[in-house]
Amino acid sequence: MRKLIYVVFILLNVFANAQTGIIKGLVTDKQSESPLPGATIELLQSTTPIGIITDDDGYFRLENVPFGRQTIRISFIGFESITIPNIVVTSGKDAVVNVSLIESFAQLDEIIITNKNAKAKAINKLASVSARQFGVEEVTRFSGGRSDVGRLAANFAGVSSPDDSRNDIVIRGNSPTGLLWRLEGVPIPSPNHFSTAGTTGGPVSALNPNLLKNSDFITSAFPSEYGNAIGGVFDLGFRKGNIDDYEFTGQVGVFTGVEAMAEGPLGKNKGSFLVAGRYSLISLVGGGAGGTSATPNYNDVSFNIDFGKGKLGNFSVFGILGNSDIEFLGDDIDEDDLFAAEDENTFVESGFGVVGLKHQIAVGENSFLRTIASSSFSTNDFKADRFIDKDTPQERSIRYTEADNTETRLTFSTLFNTKLSNKATLRTGVLVENFRVELLERDREEQADINGDGDPDLFTFRDIDENLTIIQPYIQGQLRLTEKLTLNAGIHAQYSSLNEQFVFEPRAGLNYKISKNHTLSFGYGLHHQPVSLPLLFLNEEINGQLVQTNKELDFVRSSHYVLGYDVRIGNGWRGKAEVYYQDIDNAAVESFSSSYSSLTEGADFGFENDRVSLVNAGTGFNQGIELTLEKFFSKGYYGLLTASFFESKYEGSDGIERNTPFNNGQVINFLAGKEFKMGKAQKNVLFFDTRLTFSGGRYFTPVDLAASQQAGFEILQEDIAFSEQYDDYFRWDVKFGYKINSKSKKQSHQFYIDLQNVTGNENVFERRYNRLTNRVDQVDQTGFFPDVGYRFQF
């Protein structure tokens, strides 16, 4: 009888545990990143008190947590406590929350300050302005986002991306080439499928959001550790796998593809593994997507292996490997295809990868040394065969364009961080990147028939195999001058072996807490970035010799000035306003009077290939105001309203001020979502999300139709460059779905339908000369498109 009672008790306990979930994580000191043993974690809004303290390594595990969105409070003697809302607890996966606490300004015996909107602040403690953090839950939640961090960023104030075909990120009127991608503390190439040399965006993201931890997005006046960028920073990190249990995820979606993910404990030192692979669903079922009838094929593998904390510190290995290909066959292409022509067969292949070894070791109680060594690559191969006299007895084809580009990068980064006191933190380090660049491009477009074979000559615009090194030392610190006033300041330096230029970049930011709910901030930063490599290595024919006349161009220089105001409006609400001015000089322009500037490049798959003998005489500016009203997820709903009003101008060598192609003028986003608890036990969730986007159209250079008809290829009216504007962009997306938590097993299911561009609005992609119709045709962006998906976690 006693054994029977015991068995029944065990079964009831298993059943009870299956009705609840787990919240666990790590609590650290934000200044020193040292673990905080003995910190208290409390589950709020619970019918019965649930609490726990962290162990000697700063870890906690809160069990028997009801399903749904939960709130915890973390506190530690002498530190400011933090309340973390909106933690999604399911039956299929443990909820992991890593928290950093800030030591109180005065040495107190009890906690007196509570930060209820921790997510409104950047993870990087030295980011004063124009920064916010985001998490995987946001990436996968927003409608129309395709689980793409780039498209998520398009919802934030100051960001414009009115292009359904690519996820290029335009920050405050800057070219997308001004963006810095970082993963686990090191710069990486564009993490996108079908990416091309020198660009930072692409049609499909290779970043798997299921591996990302909360990360930072910074749009101006970056802290001193970030360099080689003038537009913005995406500072991403991979989360650790589950250190206690094995967990698995299966997922399928139109854009994310078919996915499998596994994670679990590794070794005896709280190590873990996390690995996921994805394969495009469209390539399995056939058909086209994203503005083309051709079938895109792409796949990627991502991983993060943490070996735990040992005597020699903590080692981890991380990486992403991906490749993609697509064939545009002229006979199968529609005349309104965004990427191909009916008289060409085009073959595209690309690859992307990064693998890194990360080591961190404590140096005393309040300092650490973090070192990362990584290798990355980005490749793209493009071939186009054009039919001559197509559909006639004289039909033939010739190789019209070919490009074979490879960039490999070896990166070494070391960083020393020390907490000098509860009022002062110092961080210094150096980043060294060695690039090997192999670029080959041959094209017949706009070429004469010098060899007399009846076809335009195949001219070699690039054919190089170069090595260059960029070295970036920096030092920065944070000084809490008073309880209300904080100063972040530092210096970044940059040296390039290509042009042997060395520059210093001062950075500074101030945060002043006017009152409990009101904060004023100011930021300044000087930033430099080389001209994009496809422009630097262009060939020019001089006296019968091919010479790279752009090779020694100086860095483009940009000064950022930002003034911000942040207000907490009631519980869970936040308002923010920022005014900014960005002054740019040393842009690459032509040596004769011309409208061209390198500031107009980077929003497409390639760069202009006839801009040679450039000089650093171009200027530009971006200015504007950004407004954000945000309701963080609580009481079953969230909302986000962002509005950006800005101006983006440049001057070429002709001295005429013009619009950049990124000068949309205004961008307004509205997002909202609501969840409803369903079922007798209220453990399942029905959710709705919607997004409205309005943007001014991009400026473009009109086609000279008569000259194009005579030449047989597109010729633009460059004397009136970027003088015309496309129609305004509008899009409405709606997403709804259902989450099911298992009654008796550690399993959860999620289904969703994402209706993108539900009104079928015909937003303009471009107006271009069509050599087949001999006229200027308008091509529209993607119309209505339904995305469906399913996720199973166990």
Side-chain angles (χ1 to χ4, degrees):
M1 185 66 179
R2 181 178 299 177
K3 290 183 179 180
L4 179 59
I5 294 175
Y6 179 76
V7 170
V8 172
F9 175 79
I10 293 296
L11 290 175
L12 289 175
N13 188 54
V14 169
F15 183 80
N17 287 337
Q19 302 303 303
T20 59
I22 295 172
I23 299 176
K24 61 185 183 181
L26 175 67
V27 180
T28 58
D29 180 340
K30 187 162 189 175
Q31 292 173 277
S32 68
E33 298 192 17
S34 301
L36 294 179
T40 301
I41 294 87
E42 304 169 82
L43 180 67
L44 305 182
Q45 300 173 337
S46 175
T47 54
T48 58
I50 301 178
I52 200 171
I53 63 172
T54 56
D55 63 16
D56 292 342
D57 296 316
Y59 286 96
F60 69 91
R61 180 183 174 93
L62 200 60
E63 299 182 340
N64 300 320
V65 180
F67 296 145
R69 295 182 180 269
Q70 303 295 335
T71 301
I72 62 173
R73 180 169 57 217
I74 304 96
S75 55
F76 190 69
I77 297 296
F79 284 70
E80 300 177 9
S81 63
I82 287 182
T83 300
I84 306 293
N86 191 36
I87 302 170
V88 179
V89 179
T90 70
S91 61
K93 183 172 178 54
D94 296 346
V96 179
V97 182
N98 295 322
V99 182
S100 295
L101 301 183
I102 300 175
E103 189 172 354
S104 300
F105 184 81
Q107 293 293 337
L108 303 177
D109 293 329
E110 59 183 27
I111 312 304
I112 62 171
I113 301 174
T114 298
N115 179 7
K116 293 187 177 181
N117 282 342
K119 205 167 186 180
K121 296 183 178 181
I123 295 172
N124 190 319
K125 55 183 173 285
L126 300 175
S128 302
V129 295
S130 305
R132 67 166 294 154
Q133 65 170 289
F134 64 93
V136 60
E137 201 268 337
E138 290 175 281
V139 180
T140 57
R141 183 209 314 158
F142 290 153
S143 53
R146 303 180 184 177
S147 294
D148 184 335
V149 295
R151 298 182 191 277
L152 165 69
N155 299 302
F156 300 151
V159 182
S160 171
S161 184
D163 188 343
D164 300 338
S165 64
R166 292 174 58 89
N167 60 8
D168 292 295
I169 301 171
V170 175
I171 300 174
R172 295 180 171 178
N174 286 283
S175 164
T177 60
L179 177 70
L180 170 66
W181 285 102
R182 292 215 325 179
L183 178 65
E184 289 294 308
V186 292
I188 61 173
S190 171
N192 294 285
H193 294 296
F194 305 105
S195 184
T196 52
T199 63
T200 60
V204 182
S205 175
L207 288 167
N208 189 330
N210 291 322
L211 276 77
L212 296 178
K213 64 182 179 182
N214 279 14
S215 303
D216 281 342
F217 180 62
I218 309 173
T219 57
S220 187
F222 335 129
S224 300
E225 65 189 84
Y226 304 112
N228 198 17
I230 62 174
V233 177
F234 242 129
D235 194 5
L236 305 170
F238 277 163
R239 65 180 179 87
K240 291 181 60 174
N242 195 318
I243 63 173
D244 301 310
D245 305 301
Y246 294 101
E247 293 181 334
F248 305 91
T249 298
Q251 181 172 307
V252 61
V254 173
F255 287 100
T256 57
V258 179
E259 176 180 347
M261 182 173 69
E263 59 184 291
L266 181 67
K268 300 179 180 180
N269 296 318
K270 295 186 177 178
S272 66
F273 71 91
L274 174 62
V275 60
R278 303 188 299 182
Y279 194 91
S280 61
L281 176 65
I282 297 172
S283 65
L284 295 176
V285 300
T292 181
S293 57
T295 300
N297 306 300
Y298 50 90
N299 59 81
D300 51 66
V301 175
S302 304
F303 60 90
N304 188 23
I305 302 173
D306 190 294
F307 296 99
K309 186 176 180 181
K311 294 181 180 180
L312 298 178
N314 180 259
F315 288 89
S316 62
V317 178
F318 63 90
I320 308 174
L321 298 171
N323 59 71
S324 51
D325 66 84
I326 190 170
E327 294 183 354
F328 302 96
L329 303 180
D331 290 337
D332 302 330
I333 293 299
D334 298 329
E335 64 176 12
D336 58 351
D337 194 290
L338 301 187
F339 310 113
E342 295 174 89
D343 63 343
E344 285 185 346
N345 286 342
T346 303
F347 309 92
V348 182
E349 295 181 4
S350 69
F352 158 76
V354 56
V355 176
L357 173 64
K358 183 176 182 180
H359 173 251
Q360 182 164 318
I361 188 168
V363 182
E365 294 185 0
N366 295 315
S367 306
F368 68 86
L369 180 67
R370 180 184 299 151
T371 304
I372 307 165
S374 71
S375 176
S376 61
F377 71 89
S378 179
T379 66
N380 72 279
D381 183 84
F382 179 92
K383 293 180 176 62
D385 296 329
R386 182 172 296 182
F387 294 98
I388 308 299
D389 298 324
K390 185 175 173 58
D391 297 328
T392 70
Q394 291 76 37
E395 178 181 302
R396 59 190 176 90
S397 69
I398 59 174
R399 175 58 48 86
Y400 211 83
T401 305
E402 62 180 8
D404 187 1
N405 302 317
T406 301
E407 176 195 300
T408 56
R409 191 184 310 191
L410 297 176
T411 304
F412 175 82
S413 171
T414 186
L415 175 155
F416 176 73
N417 184 96
T418 183
K419 176 181 177 180
L420 302 175
S421 70
N422 65 328
K423 301 180 181 65
T425 306
L426 182 68
R427 176 173 288 188
T428 185
V430 63
L431 173 71
V432 181
E433 294 180 278
N434 178 262
F435 298 80
R436 182 179 179 183
V437 184
E438 299 173 82
L439 302 179
L440 172 65
E441 181 178 345
R442 298 189 179 99
D443 200 348
R444 297 182 189 269
E445 194 71 27
E446 303 184 25
Q447 301 305 304
D449 180 18
I450 298 177
N451 61 15
D453 65 353
D455 297 317
D457 292 347
L458 190 64
F459 183 78
T460 302
F461 289 93
R462 302 178 188 91
D463 187 7
I464 63 103
D465 185 348
E466 292 273 356
N467 272 279
L468 66 140
T469 300
I470 294 180
I471 303 174
Q472 302 176 66
Y474 59 89
I475 185 170
Q476 57 187 343
Q478 181 182 87
L479 183 61
R480 302 169 73 185
L481 300 170
T482 69
E483 193 169 347
K484 294 184 177 182
L485 184 63
T486 300
L487 170 67
N488 293 311
I491 295 177
H492 181 276
Q494 190 163 302
Y495 168 80
S496 171
S497 65
L498 190 64
N499 58 15
E500 298 184 346
Q501 185 181 8
F502 189 85
V503 294
F504 284 97
E505 303 172 343
R507 316 275 178 86
L510 276 174
N511 289 98
Y512 178 65
K513 197 167 186 177
I514 302 172
S515 64
K516 180 180 178 182
N517 295 326
H518 301 264
T519 303
L520 194 66
S521 57
F522 170 76
Y524 166 76
L526 181 63
H527 309 271
H528 292 80
Q529 186 179 31
V531 174
S532 297
L533 296 181
L535 291 175
L536 285 179
F537 295 119
L538 271 176
N539 282 331
E540 181 178 7
E541 188 171 354
I542 300 178
N543 299 324
Q545 300 292 320
L546 297 180
V547 182
Q548 297 165 11
T549 53
N550 297 337
K551 187 175 178 179
E552 297 185 2
L553 283 168
D554 288 341
F555 295 132
V556 179
R557 180 170 56 195
S558 174
S559 296
H560 294 204
Y561 306 86
V562 188
L563 179 64
Y565 170 69
D566 199 301
V567 57
R568 286 171 52 189
I569 312 169
N571 186 24
W573 286 83
R574 174 206 189 196
K576 185 179 182 181
E578 284 196 347
V579 179
Y580 65 90
Y581 180 79
Q582 181 185 3
D583 182 55
I584 306 173
D585 62 357
N586 278 4
V589 297
E590 294 183 302
S591 55
F592 53 89
S593 181
S594 162
S595 63
Y596 175 77
S597 171
S598 60
L599 299 180
T600 65
E601 299 269 18
D604 204 343
F605 286 93
F607 293 76
E608 296 198 45
N609 56 20
D610 59 349
R611 307 298 183 173
V612 291
S613 294
L614 300 180
V615 295
N616 291 106
T619 61
F621 71 86
N622 300 308
Q623 61 184 5
I625 182 171
E626 300 167 359
L627 306 172
T628 298
L629 178 63
E630 186 167 10
K631 164 66 169 62
F632 296 97
F633 212 121
S634 63
K635 298 181 179 178
Y637 73 100
Y638 76 93
L640 175 65
L641 175 64
T642 62
S644 305
F645 305 95
F646 62 99
E647 186 177 34
S648 178
K649 301 280 189 175
Y650 82 99
E651 289 186 13
S653 56
D654 59 6
I656 299 175
E657 184 177 279
R658 291 181 167 86
N659 300 293
T660 73
F662 317 110
N663 188 23
N664 303 87
Q666 64 275 333
V667 180
I668 300 172
N669 293 291
F670 172 72
L671 298 91
K674 174 68 176 176
E675 291 186 351
F676 302 89
K677 293 183 179 180
M678 306 295 290
K680 186 176 180 180
Q682 298 285 284
K683 62 182 179 59
N684 301 327
V685 174
L686 176 67
F687 62 90
F688 293 90
D689 292 271
T690 189
R691 182 182 71 160
L692 291 167
T693 297
F694 170 82
S695 172
R698 287 190 178 179
Y699 281 89
F700 68 98
T701 302
V703 175
D704 187 330
L705 180 58
S708 299
Q709 290 173 335
Q710 182 176 3
F713 52 80
E714 183 177 82
I715 296 178
L716 303 179
Q717 301 181 54
E718 294 193 1
D719 57 325
I720 53 172
F722 303 108
S723 59
E724 296 188 13
Q725 188 176 19
Y726 290 130
D727 295 339
D728 293 339
Y729 177 96
F730 174 78
R731 175 167 159 166
W732 179 25
D733 304 316
V734 176
K735 183 177 183 179
F736 58 91
Y738 198 67
K739 300 177 184 178
I740 303 173
N741 288 300
S742 174
K743 292 182 178 180
S744 58
K745 298 180 180 179
K746 188 179 179 180
Q747 296 179 357
S748 66
H749 306 262
Q750 178 177 327
F751 307 85
Y752 71 83
I753 299 176
D754 192 354
L755 305 177
Q756 302 179 17
N757 194 8
V758 293
T759 63
N761 196 54
E762 296 180 350
N763 296 301
V764 180
F765 179 69
E766 66 176 349
R767 296 188 182 116
R768 60 193 181 197
Y769 172 69
N770 187 329
R771 61 180 176 272
L772 300 179
T773 62
N774 216 21
R775 63 174 186 258
V776 176
D777 291 335
Q778 175 173 306
V779 181
D780 292 330
Q781 299 194 44
T782 307
F784 171 72
F785 191 90
D787 181 11
V788 297
Y790 164 70
R791 175 188 292 179
F792 176 45
Q793 293 181 315
F794 60 101

